[in-house]
Amino acid sequence: MTDQTIDPITLAVLAGRMEQITDEMDATLFRAAFNPIIAEAHDASHGLYHAETGDTLVQGKSGLPIFVGVMSFAVKAVIEKAAADGDLADGDIYIFNDAHLGGTHLSDMRLVRPYFRDGKLFCYLASVGHWHDVGGAVPGNYNPAATEAFQEAFILPPVRIARKGVLQQDIIDILMRNTRLPQSAMGDLNGQLGALDLGARRLDELLGEYGSKTVAAALDALANRAETLMRSEVEALPDGRWEAEDFLDNDGITDTPLPIKVALEIDGDRMILDFEGTAPATAGPVNIALPTAVACCYVAIKHIFPDLPANAGVMRPVEIRVPEKSLLSAEFPAPVGGYTETILRMIDVIFSAASQAAPDKVVANAYGTINALSIAGKRSNGQPWVMFSFYGGGHGGSPEGDGLNHGNAPISTATIPPLEILEAAYPVMFRQWALRPDSAGAGTHRGGLGATYEIEVLEEQAEAFLFGERGRFAPQGVVGGAPAATNIFEYEQDDGWHQPPMTSKMRGIKLKKGQRVKLMTPGGGGYGTPLERDPKAVARDVALGYVTAEAATETYGTAWQETDQ
């Protein structure tokens, strides 16, 4: 952007100011959004992006980490579209949800706004949020049986929703006609537009105070500093090559396990992540687009090296090799709605490989599925309702201690919507929301516990849809730790309780008033050899009900019975 140098104090001040801008954009959307996936779970993100390359410059700390890398691809798609249009202007805003261009899945609506200063393009502002429903065959859009993207949602390429500051009502009309919940969608759209407006005003204030050249110099310096930090972290690791492999249960169409494999190579201050050996693209919706795969690698790296900033400079020393036509580089119109399940497995294998190179830096596998559950129907007045949410599980044990009980997936900083919010918004009642005993992987430091959720339908009829994983392949431990429990889903019918034929995926489950669905989520894998766990810690787990006495004796021996606990 500029050749101007900048002193460290000014750099630190400007870095904090720009992070504050994106944090404030996050907060604006969270407060304004209508749907609880954004308002409560914070499935959204905001950032500043390079005017020419689209690279991530700054991202809000409250948004999802997966969007750090993905949104740069979204901005690049808009840069290409704007170049083709040839008339980009101040006040323009592009909107789209095409996941093959911008990553993740079609529920994530992306808004990208160019920011001009003194008549010149300075950077881009972007907002992304998970809309509650964007059409498709399944309410909430997690269609486990989709074989093409058209069955997952309405697909919008990059188009201008605002031209020179004037909203384009025809685009808004198209959006609202392609959702089951137009009031929710309109509220979320207005929230995102408001966040972009606020970001532009805050940039006006910042550049008015420090000048364009100084702020541009700070952005360049931050990217270079991020690269330097990453190189120093990598250089501290031993040179070598380490491999790991794990599996998805199936693709929702064919009940066949799907391998995801990685080889981690360290050579001086450079890192290679090679996914050769991963399954080819599938008929079902566990594929992901290449932008999503690249962004997922950043998330895993950020977990291993937590002091790294949210900046594209981090990825300069990293080479990512993804086989063509694999399920990690699917091409349009391959279905990608279940991207969360696939990137969670990518993170798991990266952790497992990295644990061999740097056991002091890596946690064991977390529970490894968001368990995207939709329950939908019509109220007595004919009004449609769609309850979509994701659900928690245990995190992996670490060198520092036991894993977190009932946390959210490591792809995000999102929160699980409170049951009080869900019960107030939808005709359901949670009969159970509790920790799941014996679900954690044993270890010197055990994994966190998964959870049990039991949900009763209160309307006369409803239909449920589940898109999950880890029903057959448990979250793995590292450094000798044991695997956790697998995922279990059950649903009630007139003749009793049933489980899906494909274990973790099913659509079209008919429910009557009073019938229930139940999720029993995995815990996290264990870290270190179980027999080296402090017997007092085992006794405490038994006393708290985290581990049954039988399981404790079988896994950890009898020493815990002799403690004072």
Side-chain angles (χ1 to χ4, degrees):
M1 283 176 132
T2 177
D3 294 328
Q4 179 177 331
T5 58
I6 187 167
D7 67 90
I9 295 176
T10 303
L11 179 62
V13 170
L14 288 174
R17 287 282 296 272
M18 287 184 283
E19 287 177 2
Q20 184 180 10
I21 290 172
T22 53
D23 286 345
E24 196 174 353
M25 292 171 72
D26 283 345
T28 297
L29 177 57
F30 298 157
R31 292 169 182 165
F34 278 31
N35 101 69
I37 299 302
I38 296 177
E40 297 292 337
H42 296 178
D43 193 345
S45 187
H46 297 84
L48 308 179
Y49 302 86
H50 195 281
E52 297 174 1
T53 66
D55 286 346
T56 303
L57 301 172
V58 183
Q59 179 171 324
K61 294 187 292 292
S62 299
L64 269 62
I66 189 64
F67 290 133
V68 174
V70 161
M71 282 306 291
S72 68
F73 285 92
V75 174
K76 289 170 186 175
V78 167
I79 291 173
E80 292 178 5
K81 182 64 165 60
D85 292 342
D87 58 348
L88 186 68
D90 194 3
D92 286 355
I93 301 174
Y94 281 84
I95 186 170
F96 73 106
N97 72 338
D98 189 332
H100 291 82
L101 295 177
T104 63
H105 58 171
L106 295 165
S107 299
D108 292 333
M109 198 63 70
R110 304 153 180 86
L111 277 70
V112 180
R113 173 175 174 169
Y115 175 78
F116 286 82
R117 184 71 176 177
D118 299 327
K120 295 181 180 180
L121 180 63
F122 182 81
C123 69
Y124 283 89
L125 296 156
S127 169
V128 57
H130 182 129
W131 285 19
H132 210 152
D133 184 274
V134 282
V138 170
N141 305 116
Y142 268 84
N143 182 357
T147 56
E148 57 182 7
F150 304 109
Q151 297 166 357
E152 296 181 308
F154 161 69
I155 303 171
L156 183 71
V159 295
R160 273 180 278 197
I161 195 170
R163 291 175 179 267
K164 298 181 179 180
V166 179
L167 288 175
Q168 305 300 291
Q169 189 60 44
D170 54 350
I171 301 298
I172 296 174
D173 291 343
I174 292 171
L175 289 167
M176 296 306 113
R177 194 64 170 177
N178 281 277
T179 173
R180 296 171 178 86
L181 303 168
Q183 184 178 13
S184 173
M186 194 67 216
D188 295 344
L189 174 61
N190 282 331
Q192 289 183 267
L193 291 169
L196 291 174
D197 282 344
L198 180 138
R201 293 198 305 273
R202 294 291 184 263
L203 279 175
D204 285 342
E205 296 167 2
L206 181 67
L207 271 65
E209 184 176 348
Y210 285 91
S212 300
K213 289 184 178 181
T214 300
V215 176
L219 291 170
D220 282 348
L222 290 171
N224 293 334
R225 186 171 69 170
E227 178 184 358
T228 300
L229 287 171
M230 181 59 182
R231 289 190 185 279
S232 66
E233 293 280 16
V234 174
E235 197 166 24
L237 300 178
D239 286 355
R241 175 186 171 94
W242 301 269
E243 297 184 358
E245 184 178 39
D246 208 333
F247 297 85
L248 296 172
D249 293 341
N250 52 57
D251 70 346
I253 305 298
T254 303
D255 200 6
T256 302
L258 301 167
I260 295 181
K261 187 174 182 179
V262 71
L264 166 65
E265 296 183 34
I266 302 296
D267 182 10
D269 64 354
R270 292 194 56 79
M271 174 186 291
I272 298 173
L273 293 170
D274 188 346
F275 292 92
E276 187 65 41
T278 294
T282 68
V286 295
N287 302 293
I288 61 175
L290 183 60
T292 309
V294 173
C296 176
C297 293
Y298 168 80
V299 174
I301 289 168
K302 175 68 172 170
H303 276 286
I304 297 169
F305 308 115
D307 293 332
L308 294 173
N311 189 289
V314 166
M315 299 303 288
R316 290 175 185 170
V318 182
E319 180 183 350
I320 299 170
R321 300 173 182 172
V322 177
E324 292 185 2
K325 299 184 179 179
S326 73
L327 65 80
L328 307 183
S329 57
E331 298 177 354
F332 185 81
V336 295
Y339 89 97
T340 50
E341 310 308 292
T342 304
I343 63 174
L344 284 169
R345 204 63 66 255
M346 285 182 69
I347 291 174
D348 288 342
V349 295
I350 293 172
F351 281 6
S352 294
S355 71
Q356 303 167 55
D360 60 325
K361 290 184 174 292
V362 179
V363 300
N365 292 178
Y367 64 105
T369 174
I370 71 164
N371 273 318
L373 177 64
S374 296
I375 306 176
K378 289 188 176 180
R379 301 179 189 271
S380 56
N381 62 3
Q383 191 73 18
W385 62 276
V386 179
M387 186 188 85
F388 168 82
S389 189
F390 37 78
Y391 296 87
H395 281 217
S398 76
E400 299 179 357
D402 296 340
L404 176 69
N405 293 335
H406 189 227
N408 209 339
I411 55 172
S412 75
T413 52
T415 59
I416 303 159
L419 70 86
E420 294 86 355
I421 296 294
L422 297 175
E423 288 183 339
Y426 310 109
V428 300
M429 180 180 293
F430 280 80
R431 292 296 186 178
Q432 192 173 178
W433 181 304
L435 294 178
R436 179 188 176 190
D438 292 337
S439 59
T444 307
H445 297 143
R446 62 159 173 77
L449 272 67
T452 299
Y453 308 89
E454 190 171 338
I455 308 168
E456 180 179 333
V457 172
L458 301 182
E459 282 287 359
E460 293 301 319
Q461 293 182 336
E463 197 170 9
F465 308 82
L466 175 72
F467 202 135
E469 265 294 332
R470 286 296 191 197
R472 292 184 177 144
F473 299 94
Q476 295 300 297
V478 298
V479 198
T486 54
N487 197 28
I488 299 174
F489 175 73
E490 297 177 346
Y491 59 96
E492 191 177 14
Q493 300 286 272
D494 291 341
D495 60 349
W497 288 86
H498 298 260
Q499 293 185 2
M502 290 198 180
T503 307
S504 55
K505 301 174 185 68
M506 192 169 180
R507 60 173 288 179
I509 302 169
K510 305 295 184 182
L511 299 169
K512 299 177 182 178
K513 185 175 182 178
Q515 290 182 335
R516 307 177 186 184
V517 297
K518 183 189 291 187
L519 271 170
M520 290 166 276
T521 68
Y527 183 97
T529 304
L531 291 177
E532 295 180 6
R533 183 167 177 79
D534 184 347
K536 290 185 178 180
V538 178
R540 179 177 180 274
D541 288 344
V542 174
L544 291 172
Y546 293 172
V547 182
T548 61
E550 295 80 9
T553 300
E554 180 180 347
T555 305
Y556 296 105
T558 58
W560 68 272
Q561 299 174 2
E562 302 168 6
T563 67
D564 295 332
Q565 285 276 344

